[in-house]
Amino acid sequence: MSRNTNQAKKLFVAYAYGNTVSDGVVAAPGTIKAKVGGDGCDLILKYVDAKGIQTRSDLIPVKNILWVKTASAESQRMYKKVFTVTLNSNVNSGNIVSGEDYILRVKTAGYYDKSDINEYIKYGAVHGYAGLTNSDFYKKLAISIAKNFSREPDKPVSVFIGYSSSSEMEITPLTKETDLSDISASSVIIKEAEPYWKRNSFSFERYRITLNDSVIKYSNSDVEWATITESTSETEYFGNGKKTADAEDFSLAINGDYPHGYTYPLSSEPLVDPLKEYNYLTIHYCYVGSNESVQKSEKDIVVVSDKAAVINSIVTEINNATGCSYPTITVDDDDDDDDDDDDDTTPTKVATPEFSPAAWEDSSSDQVVEITCATDGATIYYTTDGTTTPTSGSTEYDPATKITLSETTTIKAIAIKATMTDSDVADITYTKG
Protein backbone atom coordinates (compact mmCIF):
# COMPACT_ATOMS: atom_id res chain seq x y z
CA MET A 1 0.00 0.00 0.00
CA SER A 2 1.16 3.52 -0.66
CA ARG A 3 -0.22 7.01 -0.35
CA ASN A 4 0.54 10.50 -1.53
CA THR A 5 1.51 13.34 0.78
CA ASN A 6 -1.94 14.74 1.46
CA GLN A 7 -3.31 11.23 2.13
CA ALA A 8 -6.24 11.89 -0.22
CA LYS A 9 -5.38 8.88 -2.39
CA LYS A 10 -4.11 5.40 -1.61
CA LEU A 11 -2.72 3.01 -4.19
CA PHE A 12 -2.78 -0.78 -4.02
CA VAL A 13 -0.91 -2.98 -6.49
CA ALA A 14 -2.73 -6.33 -6.56
CA TYR A 15 -1.80 -9.58 -8.25
CA ALA A 16 -4.21 -11.99 -6.56
CA TYR A 17 -7.61 -11.89 -4.92
CA GLY A 18 -8.15 -13.96 -1.81
CA ASN A 19 -7.62 -14.25 1.91
CA THR A 20 -4.57 -12.33 3.08
CA VAL A 21 -4.03 -14.78 5.92
CA SER A 22 -4.79 -18.51 5.80
CA ASP A 23 -4.09 -20.85 8.73
CA GLY A 24 -1.89 -18.18 10.24
CA VAL A 25 0.23 -17.82 7.10
CA VAL A 26 0.34 -14.46 5.33
CA ALA A 27 -0.38 -14.65 1.59
CA ALA A 28 2.01 -13.55 -1.13
CA PRO A 29 2.68 -9.81 -1.60
CA GLY A 30 0.03 -8.17 -3.75
CA THR A 31 -2.85 -10.28 -2.39
CA ILE A 32 -6.00 -8.26 -1.77
CA LYS A 33 -9.48 -9.00 -0.43
CA ALA A 34 -12.56 -6.77 -0.13
CA LYS A 35 -14.51 -7.34 3.05
CA VAL A 36 -17.82 -5.86 4.16
CA GLY A 37 -18.61 -5.64 7.86
CA GLY A 38 -21.23 -7.92 9.34
CA ASP A 39 -23.76 -5.10 9.46
CA GLY A 40 -23.04 -4.24 5.81
CA CYS A 41 -22.19 -0.66 6.70
CA ASP A 42 -18.46 -0.56 6.11
CA LEU A 43 -16.08 -1.73 3.38
CA ILE A 44 -12.40 -2.49 3.93
CA LEU A 45 -9.66 -3.77 1.66
CA LYS A 46 -7.22 -6.15 3.32
CA TYR A 47 -3.86 -6.30 1.62
CA VAL A 48 -0.38 -7.84 1.78
CA ASP A 49 2.28 -5.29 0.90
CA ALA A 50 5.65 -5.75 -0.81
CA LYS A 51 7.32 -6.62 2.50
CA GLY A 52 4.80 -9.38 3.18
CA ILE A 53 3.06 -7.39 5.90
CA GLN A 54 -0.72 -7.53 6.17
CA THR A 55 -2.25 -4.07 6.07
CA ARG A 56 -5.55 -2.54 5.05
CA SER A 57 -7.33 0.46 3.60
CA ASP A 58 -9.35 2.99 5.52
CA LEU A 59 -12.67 1.82 6.86
CA ILE A 60 -15.07 3.11 4.20
CA PRO A 61 -18.71 3.76 5.12
CA VAL A 62 -20.67 2.09 2.30
CA LYS A 63 -23.18 4.93 2.21
CA ASN A 64 -20.33 7.37 1.57
CA ILE A 65 -19.08 5.68 -1.60
CA LEU A 66 -19.74 8.38 -4.20
CA TRP A 67 -18.73 6.47 -7.32
CA VAL A 68 -16.67 3.53 -8.56
CA LYS A 69 -14.92 3.48 -11.91
CA THR A 70 -12.94 0.84 -13.76
CA ALA A 71 -10.58 1.13 -16.71
CA SER A 72 -9.22 -1.86 -18.56
CA ALA A 73 -5.58 -2.11 -19.51
CA GLU A 74 -6.61 -2.11 -23.16
CA SER A 75 -8.51 1.16 -22.84
CA GLN A 76 -5.36 2.86 -21.52
CA ARG A 77 -3.11 1.86 -24.39
CA MET A 78 -1.35 4.77 -26.04
CA TYR A 79 -1.27 4.10 -29.76
CA LYS A 80 1.69 5.49 -31.64
CA LYS A 81 1.41 8.53 -33.85
CA VAL A 82 2.36 7.92 -37.46
CA PHE A 83 3.30 10.55 -40.05
CA THR A 84 3.22 9.67 -43.75
CA VAL A 85 5.15 12.00 -46.05
CA THR A 86 4.54 12.08 -49.81
CA LEU A 87 5.27 14.56 -52.59
CA ASN A 88 2.59 17.21 -53.06
CA SER A 89 0.57 16.11 -56.08
CA ASN A 90 -0.19 19.77 -56.93
CA VAL A 91 3.50 20.59 -57.38
CA ASN A 92 4.93 19.45 -60.72
CA SER A 93 2.29 16.72 -60.81
CA GLY A 94 3.85 15.12 -57.76
CA ASN A 95 7.29 14.79 -59.33
CA ILE A 96 10.70 16.15 -58.34
CA VAL A 97 11.58 19.74 -59.29
CA SER A 98 15.19 19.75 -60.45
CA GLY A 99 17.58 22.09 -58.64
CA GLU A 100 15.46 22.50 -55.51
CA ASP A 101 16.40 21.48 -51.97
CA TYR A 102 13.78 19.36 -50.21
CA ILE A 103 13.98 19.66 -46.42
CA LEU A 104 11.84 17.90 -43.83
CA ARG A 105 12.01 19.02 -40.18
CA VAL A 106 11.25 16.54 -37.41
CA LYS A 107 10.51 18.47 -34.21
CA THR A 108 10.36 16.78 -30.81
CA ALA A 109 9.08 18.46 -27.65
CA GLY A 110 9.73 16.87 -24.28
CA TYR A 111 12.85 15.05 -25.47
CA TYR A 112 15.21 16.22 -22.73
CA ASP A 113 13.15 17.97 -20.08
CA LYS A 114 9.58 16.71 -20.64
CA SER A 115 8.40 20.27 -21.33
CA ASP A 116 7.01 21.84 -24.49
CA ILE A 117 9.23 24.89 -24.19
CA ASN A 118 12.28 23.35 -25.83
CA GLU A 119 12.06 21.63 -29.19
CA TYR A 120 14.65 19.20 -30.48
CA ILE A 121 14.90 19.48 -34.27
CA LYS A 122 16.47 17.16 -36.80
CA TYR A 123 16.38 17.39 -40.57
CA GLY A 124 16.18 15.23 -43.62
CA ALA A 125 17.40 16.81 -46.86
CA VAL A 126 17.52 15.81 -50.53
CA HIS A 127 18.69 17.89 -53.49
CA GLY A 128 16.46 17.46 -56.52
CA TYR A 129 18.09 16.76 -59.86
CA ALA A 130 17.04 15.66 -63.33
CA GLY A 131 16.33 11.96 -63.47
CA LEU A 132 15.73 11.56 -59.72
CA THR A 133 12.73 9.27 -59.41
CA ASN A 134 10.15 9.64 -56.68
CA SER A 135 11.11 6.21 -55.32
CA ASP A 136 14.79 7.14 -55.03
CA PHE A 137 13.82 10.48 -53.48
CA TYR A 138 11.89 8.76 -50.66
CA LYS A 139 14.82 6.40 -50.03
CA LYS A 140 17.32 9.25 -49.86
CA LEU A 141 15.07 11.29 -47.56
CA ALA A 142 14.47 8.39 -45.16
CA ILE A 143 18.19 7.57 -45.01
CA SER A 144 19.03 11.23 -44.42
CA ILE A 145 16.62 11.46 -41.49
CA ALA A 146 17.84 8.19 -39.98
CA LYS A 147 21.48 9.29 -40.19
CA ASN A 148 20.71 12.62 -38.56
CA PHE A 149 19.32 10.72 -35.57
CA SER A 150 22.28 8.33 -35.44
CA ARG A 151 23.96 9.96 -32.41
CA GLU A 152 20.92 9.85 -30.16
CA PRO A 153 20.97 6.76 -27.89
CA ASP A 154 17.21 7.08 -27.36
CA LYS A 155 15.67 8.12 -30.64
CA PRO A 156 12.29 9.87 -30.47
CA VAL A 157 11.16 8.48 -33.83
CA SER A 158 11.58 5.46 -36.07
CA VAL A 159 11.97 5.94 -39.82
CA PHE A 160 10.44 3.76 -42.53
CA ILE A 161 9.80 3.79 -46.26
CA GLY A 162 6.39 2.74 -47.49
CA TYR A 163 6.00 0.61 -50.57
CA SER A 164 3.40 -1.52 -52.35
CA SER A 165 -0.07 -1.03 -50.91
CA SER A 166 0.63 -1.08 -47.17
CA SER A 167 4.12 -2.52 -46.72
CA GLU A 168 6.92 -0.72 -44.95
CA MET A 169 10.62 -1.20 -44.19
CA GLU A 170 12.53 0.35 -41.33
CA ILE A 171 15.50 2.55 -42.22
CA THR A 172 18.49 2.77 -39.88
CA PRO A 173 21.65 4.89 -39.98
CA LEU A 174 23.40 1.88 -41.53
CA THR A 175 20.91 1.41 -44.36
CA LYS A 176 22.32 2.00 -47.86
CA GLU A 177 20.39 2.77 -51.01
CA THR A 178 21.76 -0.42 -52.54
CA ASP A 179 19.93 -2.34 -49.80
CA LEU A 180 16.68 -0.96 -51.20
CA SER A 181 17.28 -1.53 -54.89
CA ASP A 182 14.42 -4.02 -55.22
CA ILE A 183 11.87 -1.75 -53.51
CA SER A 184 9.74 0.89 -55.21
CA ALA A 185 9.22 3.38 -52.39
CA SER A 186 6.02 5.43 -52.32
CA SER A 187 6.37 7.40 -49.06
CA VAL A 188 8.44 8.15 -45.98
CA ILE A 189 6.87 7.09 -42.69
CA ILE A 190 7.86 8.58 -39.32
CA LYS A 191 6.62 6.76 -36.22
CA GLU A 192 6.61 7.91 -32.62
CA ALA A 193 9.13 5.91 -30.58
CA GLU A 194 8.88 4.87 -26.95
CA PRO A 195 10.23 7.66 -24.74
CA TYR A 196 13.19 7.30 -22.43
CA TRP A 197 12.14 6.16 -18.96
CA LYS A 198 14.02 5.43 -15.76
CA ARG A 199 12.23 4.28 -12.67
CA ASN A 200 11.89 6.91 -9.94
CA SER A 201 14.08 9.28 -11.95
CA PHE A 202 12.61 10.04 -15.35
CA SER A 203 8.85 9.65 -15.68
CA PHE A 204 7.06 8.23 -18.71
CA GLU A 205 5.87 11.08 -20.92
CA ARG A 206 5.22 10.72 -24.62
CA TYR A 207 7.22 12.84 -27.00
CA ARG A 208 5.29 15.49 -28.91
CA ILE A 209 6.28 15.04 -32.55
CA THR A 210 5.55 17.49 -35.37
CA LEU A 211 6.76 17.52 -38.97
CA ASN A 212 7.26 20.55 -41.21
CA ASP A 213 8.45 20.75 -44.79
CA SER A 214 10.39 23.58 -46.42
CA VAL A 215 9.21 25.54 -49.43
CA ILE A 216 10.60 25.12 -52.90
CA LYS A 217 10.35 27.33 -55.95
CA TYR A 218 7.90 26.15 -58.60
CA SER A 219 6.32 28.23 -61.39
CA ASN A 220 7.77 31.39 -59.82
CA SER A 221 6.02 30.68 -56.51
CA ASP A 222 7.11 29.39 -53.11
CA VAL A 223 5.20 26.18 -52.47
CA GLU A 224 5.28 23.44 -49.86
CA TRP A 225 6.61 20.30 -51.47
CA ALA A 226 5.15 17.72 -49.07
CA THR A 227 1.81 16.30 -48.09
CA ILE A 228 2.11 15.22 -44.44
CA THR A 229 -0.65 12.99 -43.10
CA GLU A 230 -0.86 12.33 -39.37
CA SER A 231 -2.62 9.18 -38.15
CA THR A 232 -2.65 6.74 -35.25
CA SER A 233 -1.36 3.21 -35.51
CA GLU A 234 -3.99 0.52 -35.14
CA THR A 235 -1.57 -2.10 -33.84
CA GLU A 236 1.49 -0.44 -32.26
CA TYR A 237 1.11 1.08 -28.82
CA PHE A 238 2.70 1.79 -25.44
CA GLY A 239 1.21 -0.06 -22.50
CA ASN A 240 0.54 1.68 -19.18
CA GLY A 241 3.05 -0.31 -17.13
CA LYS A 242 5.62 2.46 -16.88
CA LYS A 243 3.04 5.13 -16.08
CA THR A 244 1.65 2.82 -13.40
CA ALA A 245 5.16 2.38 -12.01
CA ASP A 246 5.48 6.17 -11.93
CA ALA A 247 2.25 6.40 -9.94
CA GLU A 248 3.49 3.79 -7.47
CA ASP A 249 6.90 5.43 -7.12
CA PHE A 250 5.32 8.85 -6.60
CA SER A 251 3.20 7.47 -3.81
CA LEU A 252 5.92 5.38 -2.19
CA ALA A 253 8.45 8.19 -2.20
CA ILE A 254 6.00 10.44 -0.30
CA ASN A 255 7.74 13.57 -1.56
CA GLY A 256 6.86 12.85 -5.16
CA ASP A 257 8.68 12.36 -8.39
CA TYR A 258 12.33 13.31 -8.78
CA PRO A 259 13.33 14.04 -12.38
CA HIS A 260 16.90 14.25 -13.68
CA GLY A 261 18.27 11.66 -11.24
CA TYR A 262 17.54 13.39 -7.92
CA THR A 263 16.18 10.42 -6.00
CA TYR A 264 15.47 9.47 -2.43
CA PRO A 265 14.93 6.03 -0.89
CA LEU A 266 11.49 4.57 -1.46
CA SER A 267 9.47 3.81 1.65
CA SER A 268 8.80 0.25 0.42
CA GLU A 269 9.74 -2.12 -2.37
CA PRO A 270 7.82 -1.49 -5.62
CA LEU A 271 5.43 -4.14 -6.89
CA VAL A 272 4.57 -2.74 -10.32
CA ASP A 273 6.25 -4.49 -13.24
CA PRO A 274 6.71 -1.79 -15.92
CA LEU A 275 6.55 -4.42 -18.67
CA LYS A 276 3.01 -5.45 -17.76
CA GLU A 277 -0.31 -3.70 -18.45
CA TYR A 278 -2.64 -2.81 -15.60
CA ASN A 279 -6.38 -2.56 -15.10
CA TYR A 280 -7.54 0.24 -12.78
CA LEU A 281 -10.23 0.52 -10.15
CA THR A 282 -10.98 3.83 -8.44
CA ILE A 283 -13.23 4.02 -5.38
CA HIS A 284 -14.20 7.63 -4.65
CA TYR A 285 -15.64 8.11 -1.19
CA CYS A 286 -15.89 10.69 1.56
CA TYR A 287 -15.86 11.18 5.27
CA VAL A 288 -18.55 13.42 6.74
CA GLY A 289 -18.10 14.91 10.19
CA SER A 290 -20.87 15.30 12.76
CA ASN A 291 -22.23 18.05 14.99
CA GLU A 292 -19.84 20.99 15.22
CA SER A 293 -17.23 19.14 13.08
CA VAL A 294 -19.40 18.86 9.98
CA GLN A 295 -17.18 18.72 6.94
CA LYS A 296 -16.81 16.56 3.84
CA SER A 297 -13.42 15.13 2.95
CA GLU A 298 -13.31 13.28 -0.37
CA LYS A 299 -10.72 10.57 -0.98
CA ASP A 300 -9.75 7.90 -3.50
CA ILE A 301 -8.61 4.33 -3.28
CA VAL A 302 -6.97 3.12 -6.48
CA VAL A 303 -6.35 -0.57 -7.11
CA VAL A 304 -4.25 -1.64 -10.09
CA SER A 305 -3.86 -5.20 -11.26
CA ASP A 306 -2.65 -7.00 -14.36
CA LYS A 307 -5.54 -9.40 -13.89
CA ALA A 308 -9.07 -8.16 -14.65
CA ALA A 309 -10.51 -10.87 -12.39
CA VAL A 310 -8.92 -9.22 -9.34
CA ILE A 311 -10.57 -5.88 -10.12
CA ASN A 312 -13.90 -7.52 -10.93
CA SER A 313 -13.93 -9.43 -7.63
CA ILE A 314 -13.62 -6.18 -5.69
CA VAL A 315 -16.31 -4.46 -7.78
CA THR A 316 -18.66 -7.40 -7.25
CA GLU A 317 -18.21 -7.14 -3.49
CA ILE A 318 -18.93 -3.40 -3.63
CA ASN A 319 -22.04 -3.95 -5.75
CA ASN A 320 -23.33 -6.55 -3.32
CA ALA A 321 -22.78 -4.17 -0.41
CA THR A 322 -24.23 -1.04 -2.02
CA GLY A 323 -26.92 -2.49 -4.25
CA CYS A 324 -25.38 -0.54 -7.14
CA SER A 325 -24.27 -1.87 -10.51
CA TYR A 326 -20.82 -0.44 -10.92
CA PRO A 327 -19.23 -1.78 -14.12
CA THR A 328 -16.71 -4.58 -14.13
CA ILE A 329 -14.00 -4.94 -16.76
CA THR A 330 -14.90 -6.84 -19.89
CA VAL A 331 -12.07 -9.07 -21.02
CA ASP A 332 -11.38 -9.13 -24.75
CA ASP A 333 -11.13 -12.79 -25.74
CA ASP A 334 -9.12 -11.82 -28.81
CA ASP A 335 -6.47 -10.00 -26.80
CA ASP A 336 -3.43 -12.21 -26.39
CA ASP A 337 -1.92 -9.86 -23.80
CA ASP A 338 -4.62 -10.80 -21.30
CA ASP A 339 -4.93 -14.58 -21.41
CA ASP A 340 -8.22 -16.30 -20.76
CA ASP A 341 -6.92 -16.68 -17.22
CA ASP A 342 -8.23 -13.17 -16.57
CA ASP A 343 -11.72 -14.70 -16.37
CA ASP A 344 -10.49 -17.27 -13.87
CA THR A 345 -9.70 -16.37 -10.29
CA THR A 346 -7.24 -19.29 -10.15
CA PRO A 347 -4.93 -18.91 -13.16
CA THR A 348 -2.10 -21.38 -13.77
CA LYS A 349 0.66 -21.04 -11.21
CA VAL A 350 4.33 -20.77 -12.09
CA ALA A 351 6.43 -23.74 -10.95
CA THR A 352 8.28 -23.28 -7.65
CA PRO A 353 12.01 -22.50 -8.10
CA GLU A 354 14.53 -25.22 -7.27
CA PHE A 355 18.05 -24.86 -5.88
CA SER A 356 21.18 -26.77 -6.75
CA PRO A 357 23.16 -28.16 -4.98
CA ALA A 358 21.09 -29.11 -1.95
CA ALA A 359 23.82 -28.14 0.53
CA TRP A 360 27.25 -26.51 0.82
CA GLU A 361 29.64 -28.92 -0.91
CA ASP A 362 33.12 -27.78 0.20
CA SER A 363 33.46 -25.60 3.29
CA SER A 364 36.98 -24.57 2.25
CA SER A 365 35.70 -22.65 -0.77
CA ASP A 366 32.82 -20.45 -1.89
CA GLN A 367 29.58 -22.11 -2.95
CA VAL A 368 27.98 -21.44 -6.34
CA VAL A 369 24.19 -21.84 -6.32
CA GLU A 370 21.99 -22.40 -9.35
CA ILE A 371 18.24 -21.65 -9.33
CA THR A 372 15.95 -23.14 -11.97
CA CYS A 373 12.23 -23.04 -12.78
CA ALA A 374 10.32 -25.61 -14.81
CA THR A 375 8.02 -22.93 -16.29
CA ASP A 376 9.37 -21.66 -19.60
CA GLY A 377 9.76 -17.90 -19.78
CA ALA A 378 9.50 -17.36 -16.03
CA THR A 379 11.81 -14.83 -14.37
CA ILE A 380 13.32 -15.68 -11.00
CA TYR A 381 13.83 -13.07 -8.27
CA TYR A 382 15.61 -13.71 -4.99
CA THR A 383 16.75 -12.28 -1.64
CA THR A 384 19.64 -13.36 0.56
CA ASP A 385 18.98 -11.63 3.88
CA GLY A 386 16.94 -14.55 5.16
CA THR A 387 13.84 -12.51 6.00
CA THR A 388 12.66 -10.47 3.00
CA THR A 389 10.08 -12.13 0.76
CA PRO A 390 11.19 -11.81 -2.87
CA THR A 391 9.06 -9.87 -5.38
CA SER A 392 9.48 -8.57 -8.92
CA GLY A 393 11.33 -5.65 -7.35
CA SER A 394 13.98 -7.92 -5.82
CA THR A 395 17.27 -8.94 -7.44
CA GLU A 396 16.71 -10.79 -10.71
CA TYR A 397 18.51 -14.11 -10.95
CA ASP A 398 21.06 -14.31 -13.77
CA PRO A 399 21.58 -17.92 -14.91
CA ALA A 400 24.85 -16.91 -16.55
CA THR A 401 26.53 -15.81 -13.32
CA LYS A 402 24.45 -17.77 -10.78
CA ILE A 403 24.89 -16.86 -7.07
CA THR A 404 28.19 -17.13 -5.24
CA LEU A 405 28.13 -17.48 -1.44
CA SER A 406 31.04 -16.97 0.92
CA GLU A 407 29.22 -17.43 4.23
CA THR A 408 26.15 -19.11 5.65
CA THR A 409 23.16 -17.67 3.78
CA THR A 410 19.43 -18.21 3.44
CA ILE A 411 18.14 -17.69 -0.10
CA LYS A 412 14.48 -17.08 -0.87
CA ALA A 413 13.29 -17.18 -4.50
CA ILE A 414 10.09 -16.65 -6.45
CA ALA A 415 9.36 -17.20 -10.15
CA ILE A 416 7.10 -14.79 -12.03
CA LYS A 417 5.55 -14.85 -15.50
CA ALA A 418 2.94 -12.51 -16.98
CA THR A 419 -0.63 -13.93 -17.18
CA MET A 420 0.24 -16.62 -14.59
CA THR A 421 0.03 -16.68 -10.82
CA ASP A 422 3.41 -16.16 -9.14
CA SER A 423 5.09 -19.30 -7.84
CA ASP A 424 5.31 -20.25 -4.22
CA VAL A 425 8.34 -18.83 -2.45
CA ALA A 426 11.14 -21.38 -2.16
CA ASP A 427 13.87 -21.05 0.45
CA ILE A 428 17.03 -22.86 1.39
CA THR A 429 19.83 -22.28 3.88
CA TYR A 430 23.40 -23.00 2.87
CA THR A 431 25.50 -23.57 5.98
CA LYS A 432 29.25 -23.25 5.63
CA GLY A 433 31.28 -25.68 7.67
Side-chain angles (χ1 to χ4, degrees), residues 44-56:
I44 192 173
L45 296 180
K46 292 190 174 182
Y47 181 70
V48 181
D49 68 13
K51 295 181 178 180
I53 300 172
Q54 183 181 226
T55 181
R56 66 173 180 83

Side-chain angles (χ1 to χ4, degrees), residues 362-417:
D362 183 0
S363 60
S364 64
S365 61
D366 292 346
Q367 178 63 57
V368 176
V369 178
E370 181 180 13
I371 311 177
T372 58
C373 177
T375 302
D376 291 338
T379 301
I380 299 172
Y381 299 90
Y382 69 94
T383 60
T384 57
D385 63 2
T387 58
T388 304
T389 301
T391 69
S392 60
S394 301
T395 303
E396 181 177 339
Y397 173 73
D398 185 349
T401 59
K402 302 182 174 58
I403 303 173
T404 300
L405 306 179
S406 59
E407 60 183 3
T408 298
T409 304
T410 296
I411 304 176
K412 293 187 176 185
I414 190 171
I416 298 174
K417 183 178 180 179

